[in-house]
């Protein structure tokens, strides 16, 4: 029986020998093929040779092209197996064993989808109980690329779910698939293709992303990078300088102070920086003699997320990547005798921000002398809410534009699936308006590529500071976008994780409930079961009899703990909001009308307290709605 290491060999060599015939990944032993769909199988053989493909009583033929690539389409088949899949060409053949026909789900997103079973709640027991012969797992290795790739970034293969394979597989995807497989009794295949910290723009094809004019310059720059990386890097640096404009330096009246540490500024104990995403300025001074002036090397360690670094007012480098150490050459003529000022504009787009780490920050002179850079000062600049998002390096994996689609989606080569499960949004939380365009774009893009409609989203879990006053929170804004995208498309499911988050941990370990809620969405949308898969979702907010009545679908409503529903706010046209009493009755929440409100908001915080559910244990989603008459 052909093992997966040999199956994937074509990706590591230019072409197989003439006597060989091979399957391309993801066609390996233990694979699950999508039921009721014609399946294009592909591989390599001798150039111009005929290939005969046999599977479950069906035989199809193909002819390899001049490079030896062949493709043949198997007829649709109902769930069943195990089968063998054989490709023969001349005197050579290759056989895959234990191939099943069932349902295949593609799971993708960032770190909460990447989060493995071995780290989930009750991990020891879950891993030990993960042996499920009809549940198959396929991990897509990380790979970022400026152009679409035909192969994966490392050897790959389908694996039967067992402690050794499930422990390092996506926990949310595993729990969803386990629920579906046990309920259906057929084979379920799970493909996990995720990258921690990734933005949604990096998962969309170039063709689709280019339909949004604001991304065309970045895509053009990505194309330049494929031809001339040095020229593209210089152009990106100039783009950052242009974006910063007058903000390239701290304003003249900036409140400079000693930087308390080289830890992220959120950890300094300053309330103004506790959740600050934006521009922070650092500066340090170094005194040189005339003999020391010349070329040098500047090392400032890691900067979260983007830096533009200057010496005496001239840019010496710029880079993106929260964990990338910055080392910049200093050209002759930039340093001068006497005082020299090193300035860093650090742009934080989420999470931690600024210079961080224990590495020494130094200026190394041409003669090898290493001068430490000490006594860093800091001044806060503008927030991203005022500046908008900075330009990202379009070829940077996870933060780029279309590179993860090229490296981790394109190699799946239209492999038929039943549907998709998506857990992402944390990396885009500062741009909810942009996400409102990008999320439907990704859904349409993947549907077109894979020929499947059901799309399941995880609504972001609670994370961030608890608040006692109304705030226009960006996490609430993005969750509301996710709600509206799901409400607008009957084939999009929403699995809320709002009530199972952790205030101080962006990676809540309770992935079993996430997977269970995703499975409910799959059952309702993809399998047509009559099952409630959504928590209470608002439909209208109107005035009546001195109250504001908010009606909900997916009820009836259940107030956990009884009494008031927590988290309702009324807002006027000036944006002033206040908390309001709220009581649930059947499918309606009633809030006393203050006579001024134009909008109602619910759970509009980073980490809200949720006590409104339906009888199925699913939480209501946060929202904002205009109040009608």
């Amino acid at each position: 029986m052909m093992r997966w290491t040999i199956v994937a060999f074509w990706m590591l060599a230019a072409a197989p020998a003439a006597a060989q015939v091979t399957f391309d990944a993801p066609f390996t032993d233990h694979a699950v093929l999508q039921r009721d769909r014609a399946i294009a199988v592909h591989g390599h053989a001798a150039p111009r040779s005929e290939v005969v493909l046999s599977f479950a009583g069906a035989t199809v033929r193909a002819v390899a092209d001049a490079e030896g690539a062949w493709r043949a389409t198997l007829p649709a088949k109902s769930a069943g197996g195990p089968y063998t899949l054989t490709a023969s060409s001349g005197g050579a053949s290759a056989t895959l064993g234990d191939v099943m026909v069932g349902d295949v789900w593609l799971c993708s997103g960032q770190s909460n989808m990447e989060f493995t079973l071995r780290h989930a709640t009750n991990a020891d027991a879950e891993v030990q109980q993960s042996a499920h012969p009809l549940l198959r797992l396929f991990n897509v290795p990380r790979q970022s690329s400026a152009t679409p790739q035909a192969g994966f970034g490392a050897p790959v293969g389908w694996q039967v779910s067992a402690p050794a394979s499930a422990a390092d597989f996506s926990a949310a995807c595993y729990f969803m698939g386990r629920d579906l497989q046990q309920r259906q009794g057929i084979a379920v295949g799970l493909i996990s293709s995720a990258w921690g910290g990734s933005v949604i723009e990096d998962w969309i094809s170039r063709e689709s992303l280019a339909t949004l004019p604001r991304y065309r310059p970045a895509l053009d720059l990505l194309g330049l990078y494929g031809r001339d990386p040095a020229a593209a890097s210089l152009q990106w640096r100039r783009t950052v300088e242009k974006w910063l404009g007058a903000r390239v330096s701290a304003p003249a009246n900036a409140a400079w102070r000693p930087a308390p540490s080289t830890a992220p500024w959120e950890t300094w104990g300053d309330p103004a920086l506790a959740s600050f995403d934006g521009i922070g300025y650092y500066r340090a001074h170094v005194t040189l003699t005339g003999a020391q002036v010349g070329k040098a090397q500047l090392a400032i360690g890691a900067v979260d997320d983007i830096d533009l670094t200057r010496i005496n007012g001239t840019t010496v480098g710029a880079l993106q990547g929260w964990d990338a150490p910055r080392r910049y050459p200093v050209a002759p003529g930039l340093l001068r005798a006497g005082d020299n000022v090193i300035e860093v504009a650090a742009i934080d787009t989420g999470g931690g921000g600024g210079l961080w780490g224990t590495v020494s920050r130094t200026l190394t002179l041409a003669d090898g002398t290493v001068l430490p850079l000490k006594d860093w000062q800091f001044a806060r600049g503008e927030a991203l809410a005022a500046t908008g998002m900075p330009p990202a390096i379009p070829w940077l994996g996870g933060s780029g534009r279309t590179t993860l689609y090229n490296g981790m989606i394109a190699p799946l080569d239209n492999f038929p699936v039943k549907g998709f499960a998506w857990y992402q949004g944390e990396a885009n939380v500062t741009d909810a308006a942009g996400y409102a365009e990008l999320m439907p774009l990704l859904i349409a893009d993947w549907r077109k590529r894979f020929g499947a409609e059901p799309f399941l989203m995880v609504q972001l879990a609670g994370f961030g500071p608890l608040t006692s006053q109304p705030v226009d929170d960006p996490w609430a804004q993005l969750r509301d976008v996710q709600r509206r995208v799901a409400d607008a498309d009957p084939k999009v499911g929403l699995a809320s994780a709002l009530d199972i988050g952790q205030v101080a941990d962006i990676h809540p370990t309770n992935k079993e409930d996430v997977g269970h809620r995703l499975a409910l969405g799959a059952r309702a949308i993809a399998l047509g079961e009559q099952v409630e898969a959504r928590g209470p979702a608002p439909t209208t907010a109107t005035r009546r009899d001195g109250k504001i009545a908010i009606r909900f679908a997916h009820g009836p409503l259940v107030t956990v703990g009884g009494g008031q529903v927590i988290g309702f706010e009324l807002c006027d046209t000036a944006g002033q909001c206040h908390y309001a009493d709220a009581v649930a009755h059947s499918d309606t929440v009633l809030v006393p009308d203050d006579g001024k409100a134009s909008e109602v908001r619910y759970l509009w915080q980073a980490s809200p307290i949720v006590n409104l559910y339906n009888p199925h244990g699913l939480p209501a989603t946060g929202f904002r709605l205009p109040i009608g008459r």
Side-chain angles (χ1 to χ4, degrees):
M1 181 178 293
M2 176 177 281
R3 307 312 305 171
W4 63 266
T5 52
I6 298 176
V7 173
F9 181 78
W10 73 272
M11 298 175 290
L12 306 177
Q20 288 183 315
V21 58
T22 63
F23 290 95
D24 296 343
F27 296 97
T28 76
D29 293 336
H30 314 301
V32 178
L33 307 182
Q34 179 57 45
R35 60 174 169 162
D36 305 325
R37 292 273 301 278
I39 299 174
V41 182
H42 43 89
H44 280 70
R48 310 296 187 188
S49 64
E50 182 182 56
V51 178
V52 179
L53 195 66
S54 301
F55 180 72
T59 301
V60 296
R61 287 174 165 79
V63 176
D65 65 16
E67 284 73 44
W70 60 265
R71 181 178 293 263
T73 301
L74 293 172
K77 189 170 182 60
S78 58
Y83 302 108
T84 58
L85 176 60
T86 301
S88 303
S89 182
S93 66
T95 299
L96 306 181
D98 190 30
V99 177
M100 304 297 297
V101 178
D103 282 343
V104 181
W105 288 88
L106 172 57
C107 300
S108 187
Q110 57 184 106
S111 54
N112 272 300
M113 183 60 85
E114 200 175 36
F115 192 96
T116 60
L117 186 61
R118 71 165 66 249
H119 295 108
T121 301
N122 201 26
D124 289 346
E126 295 293 355
V127 170
Q128 289 303 313
Q129 297 168 16
S130 63
H132 304 290
L134 292 182
L135 183 63
R136 309 295 174 85
L137 313 176
F138 186 95
N139 257 318
V140 175
R142 284 191 173 196
Q143 179 177 222
S144 170
S145 175
T147 57
Q149 297 298 296
F152 297 93
V156 293
W158 286 93
Q159 296 179 291
V160 177
S161 179
S165 58
D168 292 313
F169 194 77
S170 162
C173 189
Y174 165 82
F175 284 122
M176 178 190 77
R178 185 193 67 181
D179 280 12
L180 292 174
Q181 194 284 312
Q182 291 179 344
R183 178 167 292 275
Q184 293 178 265
I186 66 171
V188 170
L190 303 174
I191 301 172
S192 176
S193 181
W195 184 302
S198 58
V199 296
I200 189 173
E201 297 95 320
D202 220 2
W203 293 101
I204 301 173
S205 71
R206 181 186 184 97
E207 294 74 19
S208 291
L209 199 58
T211 63
L212 299 179
R214 67 180 181 276
Y215 289 106
R216 291 173 192 164
L219 293 174
D220 290 343
L221 188 56
L222 181 65
L224 175 61
Y225 181 79
R227 304 186 302 272
D228 189 341
S233 296
L234 179 59
Q235 185 171 322
W236 178 79
R237 190 180 86 180
R238 290 171 176 166
T239 301
V240 175
E241 286 180 308
K242 182 178 179 180
W243 180 84
L244 282 168
R247 298 187 299 263
V248 71
S249 295
N253 62 349
W256 289 98
R257 56 169 168 149
S261 70
T262 53
W265 59 54
E266 289 87 348
T267 68
W268 291 354
D270 182 346
L273 297 173
S275 58
F276 176 66
D277 296 329
I279 306 169
Y281 300 97
Y282 294 80
R283 71 182 182 189
H285 296 260
V286 61
T287 301
L288 301 177
T289 67
Q292 292 176 312
V293 171
K295 67 179 182 179
Q297 184 82 248
L298 176 67
I300 59 170
V303 182
D304 194 347
D305 294 282
I306 299 172
D307 75 289
L308 185 82
T309 299
R310 304 193 305 160
I311 291 182
N312 297 327
T314 298
T315 300
V316 295
L319 192 61
Q320 181 177 359
W322 66 273
D323 58 349
R326 272 63 167 177
R327 297 186 66 86
Y328 298 130
V330 182
L334 294 185
L335 296 171
R336 61 197 179 202
D339 182 51
N340 293 264
V341 183
I342 292 90
E343 302 172 286
V344 180
I347 309 166
D348 176 29
T349 60
L355 274 66
W356 70 278
T358 58
V359 65
S360 297
R361 291 164 176 82
T362 59
L363 182 68
T364 302
L365 305 181
D367 64 1
T369 301
V370 179
L371 302 177
L373 301 175
K374 299 179 179 179
D375 302 323
W376 287 90
Q377 293 181 304
F378 174 83
R380 172 180 158 156
E382 290 187 75
L384 290 185
T387 66
M389 291 295 288
I393 294 180
W395 56 85
L396 184 66
S399 301
R401 303 294 178 260
T402 207
T403 70
L404 300 188
Y405 179 93
N406 293 336
M408 300 177 68
I409 299 298
L412 292 170
D413 194 21
N414 309 322
F415 190 79
V417 299
K418 186 72 171 180
F420 314 93
W422 176 254
Y423 194 167
Q424 193 276 337
E426 296 93 338
N428 290 82
V429 78
T430 56
D431 186 23
Y435 206 78
E437 287 187 298
L438 292 166
M439 191 68 249
L441 191 66
L442 179 138
I443 293 171
D445 192 31
W446 287 18
R447 282 173 170 172
K448 180 179 179 181
R449 182 170 187 91
F450 292 96
E453 283 194 299
F455 198 103
L456 314 173
M457 284 189 300
V458 180
Q459 190 182 40
L460 294 187
F463 167 72
L466 297 169
T467 57
S468 59
Q469 298 296 324
V471 292
D472 194 7
D473 188 83
W475 286 74
Q477 294 173 27
L478 194 128
R479 292 188 196 110
D480 197 41
V481 168
Q482 294 174 314
R483 174 191 68 84
R484 288 187 276 117
V485 170
D487 285 349
D489 189 330
K491 290 294 185 179
V492 172
L494 187 67
S496 179
L498 184 56
D499 60 331
I500 55 178
Q502 295 173 234
V503 171
D505 192 345
I506 202 170
H507 303 117
T509 63
N510 180 2
K511 295 297 190 282
E512 184 171 14
D513 280 341
V514 174
H516 172 67
R517 292 171 183 179
L518 285 169
L520 287 175
R523 290 167 58 193
I525 294 172
L527 305 180
E529 295 185 29
Q530 297 299 309
V531 59
E532 182 58 80
R534 287 277 302 271
T539 57
T540 59
T542 58
R543 285 185 159 88
R544 73 181 191 202
D545 301 327
K547 296 187 182 298
I548 296 169
I550 304 99
R551 296 199 64 180
F552 286 80
H554 307 288
L557 303 176
V558 175
T559 306
V560 174
Q564 298 281 328
V565 180
I566 300 171
F568 273 88
E569 304 173 23
L570 295 180
C571 304
D572 61 25
T573 55
Q576 298 299 310
C577 303
H578 63 87
Y579 290 115
D581 294 338
V583 179
H585 300 280
S586 183
D587 66 348
T588 303
V589 169
L590 297 175
V591 178
D593 189 354
D594 65 358
K596 301 176 183 178
S598 60
E599 178 182 81
V600 60
R601 302 195 311 203
Y602 175 58
L603 301 181
W604 208 254
Q605 302 93 35
S607 295
I609 296 172
V610 184
N611 75 329
L612 187 63
Y613 287 76
N614 63 20
H616 306 280
L618 300 176
T621 178
F623 62 87
R624 69 190 313 165
L625 276 182
I627 300 170
R629 294 289 178 182

